[in-house]
């Protein structure tokens, strides 16, 4: 294979023409493989170069996505797999995990705080949302366990904020309980909270 030309394209990208085929490569790939016009490139080295280029692009894509929000290992893998082969995705995600840029525990702890303390979800809703983010069940349960003690208090907080006027109407109490179930609380937890509020009003 003959490298016809190596020209700077834009930013850190070079346009490389090999046997008439136009390829766009990062400057580091060009440097690492010593690409120069009118030199030969073996098929094996050409394949290695394309693999290295794809790996680099996948890592850059992962970094770009992570600039906007956190991802779990599985979630980022799924996202990258829309554009790259499985081997490339494993390489990129493993690399980002080894650098601490992806950290499932940190991500799980942040999501638990968001869903439990901010959105006031119950365990069922919070855990389902976290599973959808690609987090393992064991890790999710472990992280959420730290919030179990304050469950009834959080339900009372939601009731006081949204449903305080419902407590004097049996039909409305039923609607309120259904709404709280949709937030991820169990009927036992909800009934305990309602009873505590009713007792506090006596």
């Amino acid at each position: 294979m003959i490298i016809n030309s190596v020209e700077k394209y834009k930013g850190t990208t070079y346009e490389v023409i090999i046997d008439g085929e136009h390829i766009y490569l990062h400057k580091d790939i060009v440097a690492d493989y010593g690409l120069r016009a009118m030199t030969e490139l073996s098929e094996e080295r050409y394949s290695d170069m394309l693999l290295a280029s794809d790996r680099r692009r996948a890592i850059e894509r992962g970094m770009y996505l992570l600039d906007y929000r956190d991802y779990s290992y599985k979630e980022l893998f799924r996202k990258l797999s829309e554009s790259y082969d499985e081997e490339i995705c494993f390489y990129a995600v493993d690399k980002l995990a080894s650098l601490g840029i992806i950290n499932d525990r940190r991500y799980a702890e942040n999501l638990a705080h968001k869903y439990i303390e901010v959105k006031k979800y119950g365990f069922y809703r919070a855990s389902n949302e976290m599973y959808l983010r690609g987090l393992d069940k064991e890790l999710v349960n472990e992280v959420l366990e730290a919030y179990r003690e304050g469950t009834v208090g959080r339900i009372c907080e939601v009731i006081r904020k949204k449903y305080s006027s419902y407590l004097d109407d049996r039909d409305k109490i039923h609607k309120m309980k259904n709404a709280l179930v949709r937030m991820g609380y169990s009927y036992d937890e909800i009934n305990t909270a309602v009873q505590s509020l009713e007792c506090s009003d006596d």
Side-chain angles (χ1 to χ4, degrees), residues 131-200:
Y131 298 152
L132 291 173
R133 300 282 190 169
L135 293 166
D136 292 333
K137 185 174 182 178
E138 185 176 340
L139 175 59
V140 169
N141 291 340
E142 181 183 340
V143 169
L144 288 177
E145 188 61 33
Y147 294 91
R148 189 170 295 281
E149 189 174 328
T151 300
V152 172
R154 284 189 294 276
I155 298 173
C156 289
E157 188 178 341
V158 173
I159 293 173
R160 290 191 189 99
K161 185 175 181 179
K162 293 185 175 182
Y163 304 108
S164 58
S165 63
Y166 284 38
L167 294 174
D168 296 326
D169 186 314
R170 184 176 296 277
D171 289 336
K172 286 187 176 181
I173 286 178
H174 182 69
K175 290 180 180 179
M176 175 190 73
K177 288 183 177 181
N178 287 338
L180 290 168
V181 167
R182 289 193 294 273
M183 290 182 69
Y185 295 105
S186 70
Y187 277 110
D188 285 344
E189 292 167 339
I190 295 166
N191 288 333
T192 300
V194 170
Q195 288 169 11
S196 70
L197 286 171
E198 288 174 344
C199 288
S200 68

Side-chain angles (χ1 to χ4, degrees), residues 1-8 14-23 25 30 34-42 46 49:
M1 305 182 78
I2 301 296
I3 301 174
N4 306 120
S5 68
V6 180
E7 301 288 342
K8 189 167 184 179
Y14 277 71
E15 181 185 53
V16 181
I17 303 177
I18 301 175
D19 285 352
E21 181 182 359
H22 294 247
I23 302 169
L25 302 169
V30 172
L35 303 183
R36 296 187 304 276
M38 305 315 295
T39 60
E40 290 190 21
L41 186 68
S42 70
Y46 176 73
M49 179 189 72

